[in-house]
Amino acid sequence: AVPMSKYWNFIARQPSTDVVQLTGIEEYPNFFRDALVWSIIFTIIYAITTFSLRFWPKWYNSLTPRKQKDFPSYVVCLIHHVVRVPNAWVHVITDFMRTDAEAAIFNYVKYEAAVGPFCIGYFVSDLFCYAIPEAMRGEFEYLIHHIVTLVIISSSVFEHAYLCRWIPHLLICDTTNVFFNTAW
C-alpha cells in the first residue's frame, strides 16, 4: 500500500521556476486542425453507428427507448475511453514514479498535449451530436458535463504548461465509463 503522505507529495509537486515551457498550443502547432479532424472523425463514427442500426432491427428494437437514443453516443464514447483511459493510467503511474526533481523539470506539454485534440474532438462531436439535442429536450446535464470538461481540457492546454500534467488524471475518472457503456 502507498502511504497517503507519498501520494499527497505526488499531487502537491510544483514545477521548477527555472525551466520555461511552452503552452500546449505553442508546443503543438496543429492543435486546432487536429481537434477539428478528430471532431469530424467522431461525428462520422456517430453517423455510421446511427445508420448501421437499421441492419439489426430485432436487436435494436429489443433495447429500451432510452438505450436506442443513447446507443450511438455510447459507441463513440466507448472508442474515446478504450483509447485514452488505459493510456492515462500509464501516464499517471509513470508520473507517480518520477522523483520530485524529475517531475519539476519534466516537459508535460510534449507528453500530454497531443491528447488534447483527440479529447476536444470527441467532446465537440458529442456536444453537437448528443448533448445539444438532449438540452433541446430539457436534459441539460450532458451539455453542462461537456462544457465543463471542454473548459478543463482547454485550460490545461492554453494556460501554464504544467497544467497538462492533469489531463491523464482527468481521463482516469472515466475508467468506469468503459464498463458502464458495455454493461448492456
Side-chain angles (χ1 to χ4, degrees):
V2 177
M4 284 308 289
S5 61
K6 186 172 181 180
Y7 181 73
W8 178 251
N9 288 339
F10 163 66
I11 295 297
R13 286 181 182 159
Q14 294 296 314
S16 171
T17 55
D18 299 333
V19 178
V20 176
Q21 294 181 357
L22 301 174
T23 66
I25 296 299
E26 295 166 332
E27 185 74 48
Y28 195 107
N30 296 321
F31 185 91
F32 293 110
R33 181 204 67 196
D34 290 357
L36 176 63
V37 167
W38 280 115
S39 292
I40 292 168
I41 289 169
F42 281 118
T43 301
I44 290 169
I45 293 169
Y46 191 95
I48 288 171
T49 303
T50 302
F51 175 77
S52 66
L53 290 172
R54 67 180 65 181
F55 297 110
W56 295 279
K58 186 176 180 183
W59 174 80
Y60 181 69
N61 291 331
S62 73
L63 298 174
T64 64
R66 177 69 187 208
K67 287 186 177 183
Q68 289 176 354
K69 182 175 60 74
D70 292 347
F71 186 75
S73 181
Y74 279 19
V75 169
V76 174
C77 181
L78 187 60
I79 292 168
H80 169 258
H81 291 126
V82 166
V83 170
R84 285 295 168 203
V85 170
N87 184 260
W89 276 102
V90 169
H91 285 212
V92 169
I93 291 167
T94 303
D95 193 27
F96 183 77
M97 302 305 281
R98 287 188 186 95
T99 65
D100 290 344
E102 291 170 334
I105 60 170
F106 186 77
N107 188 345
Y108 286 97
V109 174
K110 282 190 184 241
Y111 197 59
E112 305 297 350
V115 175
F118 184 87
C119 292
I120 288 176
Y122 159 71
F123 275 103
V124 167
S125 172
D126 206 49
L127 179 72
F128 285 104
C129 292
Y130 187 74
I132 291 174
E134 285 294 296
M136 293 170 74
R137 290 184 194 102
E139 295 186 32
F140 293 95
E141 64 269 16
Y142 298 106
L143 183 65
I144 293 166
H145 164 75
H146 283 67
I147 290 171
V148 168
T149 305
L150 280 167
V151 167
I152 291 169
I153 293 170
S154 297
S155 67
S156 70
V157 175
F158 295 121
E159 296 295 325
H160 191 279
Y162 196 70
L163 291 175
C164 282
R165 173 181 184 227
W166 301 107
I167 291 174
H169 294 263
L170 175 66
L171 287 169
I172 64 172
C173 296
D174 285 333
T175 300
T176 56
N177 285 352
V178 173
F179 303 106
F180 288 143
N181 288 350
T182 57
W184 284 54

